[in-house]
Amino acid sequence: MGQLSYLLYKNLYIIKIEKMLEKYIKYENKTRWSMRAVDIIQKKRDNIELTSEEMSFLLGEYLQNRVPDYQMSSFLMAVYFNGMTKDELKVFTELMMNSGEVIKFDGIEKFLIDKHSTGGVGDKTTIALAGLFAAFNIGTAKLSGRGLGHTGGTIDKFEAIPGFVFPETRDELVKMVNKVGTGIMGYSDTIVPLDKKLYSLRDVTATVSSIPLIASSIMSKKLAVYADGIILDVKVGSGAFMKNLKTAEELAKTMIDIGDSFDRKVVTLLTDMDQPLGYAVGNANEIIEAIETLKGRGPKDFTELVETIVATALQIKGDVKSLEEGKEKVAEVISNGAAIQHLKDFIEAAGGNPKLVDDYTLLPKFKSEYEFKAKKSGWISKIEAEEIGKAAMVLGAGRATKDDIIDHSVGVLLTKKVGDYVEAGEVLAFVQHNDKNLESSIRFLEGAYTIVDEKVEKNKVILEILSNIGL
């Protein structure tokens, strides 16, 4: 072959290779041959909207351990400062949702509502909803977690019931929902694994409080497990992650926007967590308070929250036209005993003893009870929910580390709420304990209460309702 022919052949070969690469880039989503994480990070740093291909590349490579933590940390910080556009947020959420198993409950014969709470002290709502939703032929098939820190998890609370076991497979969950209306399983590593990996990184890089990252984390899990309607209880206040109403509204609207982009009905309730919800904080004592609520004897704030959530579910389902009409129906099934009977059925189906609904001695019992008393007379202006949660946690009602073992019998039982008058020496709370860390618990309680001389208004439990269905 002559020199000229060789050069011509070489050039044609190079052109052929280049065209092959162009074709690969075009039809293979521009993978590592054409993209670099650093360029995507730079775009986000400069507040330039990312394409779906760029987002797919970055998250996909990170999930496969081909993008290191230090680069993803940089990206998360860029999101923290610059946020995400609606299109970016939809792609980001969808990629997280599809990073693992997406569950659709074929075979469930009920209208499904997924109620999620952002976490609060004394939040035993799911226990009461198990009886109430079933009374209206509404199903709940949800994945719940265990608690870590000053708030207890739904699974921890139900495990206070001796013999109670959760479904371990999807078929068992479907069977449970069809039978008694409610099915709850622990979170699986196969559901949204990318979120778990990203959250661990956010936790150590000061990016947890980013609104788009919080919203996508919550909604990716909600969207990965199908429901006909999603109700989000966003806690607001000192005992919640969202400390003020403005940021809570921003989070709620962001989650609604995500729901819109996936054609899901979403209602968000912004609810007070400037004090514990109800009076009971623990596990067994919260089971009792939820049962008492279904018997019509629950705390006013907790009862109002539960009634509002169920009334909202009835609106989503189309059974009622207004919140007021829904609340009337809820009051009726509490009054006629239907709700408490459905809770009994649920407990029995899960392996527990339904007789505990009428005999609380069948629940774990603490050894001793300490009376925590007021040091001065006046009106209670503040009860720091987080401090109350910590007071219960150190007794064993919660976990300081993921390896801690829960003591279901212990907790704190309040006697007063914000806006109540108290005399010096009057009991503010009963500390239900098993001779473990009582002094530490008392110290947290001492930092929880503020008592003033002027009369204080009682807190509203429902601060605001936002939705994409016109409620």
Side-chain angles (χ1 to χ4, degrees), residues 6-53:
Y6 173 78
L7 290 173
L8 181 61
Y9 173 81
K10 182 179 179 181
N11 288 337
L12 288 173
Y13 181 76
I14 291 171
I15 291 170
K16 184 179 179 181
I17 292 295
E18 288 177 344
K19 286 184 176 179
M20 287 174 64
L21 286 173
E22 287 175 2
K23 186 176 181 181
Y24 181 83
I25 290 168
K26 182 177 180 180
Y27 292 104
E28 298 295 331
N29 288 327
K30 300 181 180 179
T31 58
R32 289 175 311 206
W33 290 101
S34 64
M35 290 191 189
R36 298 189 308 162
V38 65
D39 299 322
I40 297 170
I41 295 166
Q42 182 177 330
K43 279 187 71 173
K44 194 67 221 172
R45 181 201 68 187
D46 295 340
N47 205 17
I48 300 171
E49 185 173 28
L50 299 178
T51 66
S52 59
E53 290 84 4

Side-chain angles (χ1 to χ4, degrees), residues 118-131:
T118 57
V121 178
D123 187 1
K124 70 284 294 180
T125 311
T126 299
I127 303 164
L129 293 181

Side-chain angles (χ1 to χ4, degrees), residues 54 67 120 165 196 202 273 283 347 355 391 396 398 455:
E54 288 168 331
V67 166
V165 293
K196 183 178 181 180
R202 288 166 56 203
M273 192 42 65
N283 294 284
I347 292 171
K355 292 181 180 179
K455 189 173 182 179

Side-chain angles (χ1 to χ4, degrees), residues 4 135 161 169-170 274 290 302 305 317 396 439 448:
L4 183 61
I161 299 172
T169 67
R170 188 190 312 191
D274 265 333
F302 181 60
L305 175 61
K317 189 174 178 231
E439 294 79 10

